[in-house]
Amino acid sequence: MTITAGLILTTTNCAGSPPSPQPDPTDSAPTPAARTSSTPRTQTGRAATVLAELDGPAGLTLILTAADRDQTGYLTLRGILRNTSNVLITVPAQLRGTEDDIVRTSPSLAGATLIDFTHHKRYYVLRDTDGNPLTTIGLTRLKPHQKAEVFMQFPAPPATTDHVGFQMPLFDTTTITITG
């Protein structure tokens, strides 16, 4: 009962409204060197720690900034989805994954998975009691040099696991360190 209430509250507070993409003032026609040397910033202007930077299609970049394991058994990834191009980008539908229940929901990042190499297990984005993914929803387009803060929530791997593989359809694959 407590877990269900927590999931409902999490969904209401985090996944209920689409993110507001923000222009990135540090990106003025970035070059590859400028893109890798610039420090990503959150919507509040704080510098973000970079766990991994993944290149995706058509100038989309996903920068993972946190992988926090909490005491209730969840692992929340946070990051920034950024349009590094000079054109409007439609966020690919493939990012939501291919499961029938997820395809019926709004655009999301539900196609992301984690791989626990130690225990040979794959983790999928959690769902609430209505089947909605516990991830950023409503991403449809990003204007040139805009970014959106994103999150994805997974079941946490055992405490003995401190590195996991991260996969997102159409993006590079990487290994990240669980930070919290």
Side-chain angles (χ1 to χ4, degrees):
M1 181 79 168
T2 303
I3 292 173
T4 302
L7 288 176
I8 291 170
L9 287 175
T10 301
T11 302
T12 303
N13 291 333
C14 297
S17 60
S20 300
Q22 300 296 317
D24 188 352
T26 63
D27 283 340
S28 55
T31 63
R35 196 180 99 227
T36 57
S37 65
S38 66
T39 302
R41 303 223 173 253
T42 64
Q43 289 178 353
T44 60
R46 293 185 327 240
T49 303
V50 175
L51 299 177
E53 185 170 345
L54 296 87
D55 291 325
L60 282 178
T61 299
L62 177 62
I63 302 167
L64 297 175
T65 58
D68 296 322
R69 182 188 343 245
D70 65 29
Q71 306 248 342
T72 58
Y74 302 111
L75 178 71
T76 303
L77 296 185
R78 296 192 184 283
I80 299 166
L81 184 63
R82 177 187 285 172
N83 176 355
T84 62
S85 77
N86 292 320
V87 297
L88 178 73
I89 292 178
T90 299
V91 177
Q94 292 94 325
L95 300 187
R96 77 171 69 168
T98 58
E99 294 175 51
D100 289 343
D101 289 339
I102 294 301
V103 170
R104 288 187 273 265
T105 65
S106 71
S108 71
L109 304 177
T113 58
L114 294 179
I115 288 72
D116 178 349
F117 300 113
T118 305
H119 298 96
H120 307 286
K121 190 168 182 182
R122 180 183 301 266
Y123 296 93
Y124 295 88
V125 170
L126 290 168
R127 313 297 192 258
D128 67 12
T129 54
D130 293 326
N132 297 308
L134 296 181
T135 181
T136 303
I137 61 170
L139 286 171
T140 56
R141 293 187 189 110
L142 288 175
K143 293 180 183 175
H145 306 292
Q146 279 192 320
K147 63 182 178 179
E149 289 188 19
V150 296
F151 82 98
M152 294 152 272
Q153 195 167 45
F154 300 87
T160 56
T161 300
D162 57 358
H163 290 83
V164 291
F166 175 80
Q167 296 177 326
M168 173 72 76
L170 306 178
F171 280 80
D172 296 339
T173 299
T174 192
T175 299
I176 58 172
T177 301
I178 296 174
T179 55

